[in-house]
């Protein structure tokens, strides 16, 4: 009996982890498949997924600090509390850590040779982040959260990262052409667009009212359609950044 208990426990852990990461794997495969000119090396992509996990761990600490500061400066009863928490604590921190490790790992890598590479790299980091976050949620709340997070949370992270990745690729192109101002503008737009989308997503989800829920579902549906077309367009119009 005691021999089989560890095996059963191991199967349960395996099922939980698998359920948590399958959506991220599927979406990553889809984005990778659209890279039709020059596939990125698996070694690089694996390292980016790892950096995404590191970004998630860093975010836990930074969000704890941010939440502590917020709780000491603004009452939870304030109508602005959720907005500040969603945009400045969660979105700004999470997208900031993602972008930090994205740039740290890929900006000077010789494989970064095409515009669409920026999308692939950004998605790898973001889905590594989302997969780790999903595992944490599944082990905390059980398999009941798998479906809603597969439909909303993980594709949400994908959507934010596609916006960041499109601008990230353009920033690299600007740098290689000596356009420093264009590089800064595109890096800023990549970060800000991801923060605004992420913040709005979280603010609606946290509000919990009927109106907020309706806005949330409408926003998510529109974002998914837009992101789908952005991926297709970025893949079709891919070009070297040198």
């Amino acid at each position: 009996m005691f021999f089989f208990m560890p095996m059963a426990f191991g199967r349960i852990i395996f099922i939980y982890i698998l359920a948590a990461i399958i959506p991220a794997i599927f979406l990553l495969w889809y984005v990778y498949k659209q890279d039709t000119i020059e596939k990125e090396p698996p070694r690089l992509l694996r390292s980016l997924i790892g950096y995404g996990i590191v970004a998630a761990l860093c975010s836990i600490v930074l969000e704890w600090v941010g939440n502590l500061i917020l709780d000491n400066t603004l009452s939870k009863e304030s109508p602005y509390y959720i907005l500040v928490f969603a945009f400045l604590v969660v979105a700004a921190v999470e997208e900031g850590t993602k972008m930090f490790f994205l740039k740290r790992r890929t900006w000077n890598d010789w494989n970064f040779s095409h515009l669409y590479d920026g999308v692939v790299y950004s998605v790898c980091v973001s889905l590594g982040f989302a997969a780790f976050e999903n595992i944490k949620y599944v082990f905390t709340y059980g398999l009941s959260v798998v479906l809603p997070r597969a439909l909303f949370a993980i594709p949400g992270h994908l959507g934010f990262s596609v916006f960041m990745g499109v601008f990230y690729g353009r920033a690299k192109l600007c740098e290689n052409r000596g356009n420093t101002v264009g590089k800064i503008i595109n890096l800023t737009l990549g970060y800000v667009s991801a923060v605004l989308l992420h913040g709005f997503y979280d603010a609606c989800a946290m509000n919990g009212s009927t109106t907020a829920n309706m806005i949330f579902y409408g926003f998510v549906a529109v974002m998914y359609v837009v992101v789908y077309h952005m991926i297709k367009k970025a893949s079709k119009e891919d070009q070297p950044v040198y």
Side-chain angles (χ1 to χ4, degrees):
M1 176 180 177
F2 292 104
F3 173 76
F4 288 105
M5 284 179 65
M7 294 180 62
F9 183 68
R11 289 195 191 99
I12 292 172
I13 291 177
F14 176 75
I15 290 170
Y16 271 51
I17 293 176
L18 194 63
I21 66 174
I22 280 178
I25 292 173
F26 173 77
L27 292 174
L28 180 56
W29 169 81
Y30 175 77
V31 172
Y32 179 75
K33 186 180 177 183
Q34 307 308 309
D35 191 4
T36 57
I37 295 180
E38 184 179 76
K39 296 291 187 185
E40 301 308 296
R43 172 190 55 80
L44 172 58
L45 302 185
R46 285 194 298 269
S47 71
L48 286 169
I49 293 170
Y51 272 110
I53 296 173
V54 174
L57 293 170
C58 291
S59 292
I60 292 173
V61 177
L62 294 174
E63 285 176 36
W64 178 81
V65 174
N67 196 33
L68 190 65
I69 294 172
L70 177 60
D71 286 346
N72 283 281
T73 55
L74 191 63
S75 169
K76 289 186 178 181
E77 305 303 319
S78 169
Y80 304 108
Y81 184 89
I82 288 179
L83 289 175
V84 175
F85 181 72
F87 282 92
L88 298 184
V89 177
V90 178
V93 167
E94 293 188 3
E95 299 308 323
T97 56
K98 290 178 196 175
M99 190 165 209
F100 174 81
F101 288 108
L102 166 66
K103 193 168 186 294
R104 180 181 178 87
R105 177 61 183 88
T106 63
W107 191 258
N108 295 314
D109 194 295
W110 65 271
N111 289 292
F112 193 177
S113 57
H114 288 75
L115 284 175
Y116 190 75
D117 293 350
V119 175
V120 175
Y121 298 159
S122 181
V123 167
C124 279
V125 172
S126 191
L127 291 183
F129 185 109
F132 175 84
E133 187 180 66
N134 219 30
I135 290 172
K136 183 182 71 172
Y137 272 89
V138 168
F139 274 95
T140 303
Y141 301 106
L143 292 176
S144 62
V145 302
V146 169
L147 183 59
R149 289 193 60 82
L151 293 175
F152 299 109
I154 291 185
H157 278 286
L158 170 73
F160 315 146
S161 68
V162 169
F163 275 83
M164 182 183 288
V166 167
F167 287 113
Y168 186 67
R170 292 175 184 172
K172 185 63 174 177
L173 176 65
C174 287
E175 180 185 68
N176 289 345
R177 294 184 177 179
N179 184 359
T180 304
V181 174
K183 166 193 167 184
I184 295 172
I185 289 175
N186 277 287
L187 285 175
T188 303
L189 287 174
Y191 174 65
V192 170
S193 63
V195 169
L196 291 178
L197 290 168
H198 194 156
F200 189 80
Y201 176 103
D202 280 353
C204 291
M206 292 173 187
N207 186 282
S209 68
T210 302
T211 302
N213 287 337
M214 291 176 63
I215 294 173
F216 173 79
Y217 293 128
F219 167 73
V220 168
V222 171
M223 184 177 71
Y224 289 178
V225 173
V226 170
V227 167
Y228 172 79
H229 287 289
M230 284 179 68
I231 293 172
K232 289 293 187 181
K233 187 173 186 291
S235 174
K236 183 178 179 180
E237 298 178 357
D238 195 13
Q239 61 173 293
V241 295
Y242 43 78

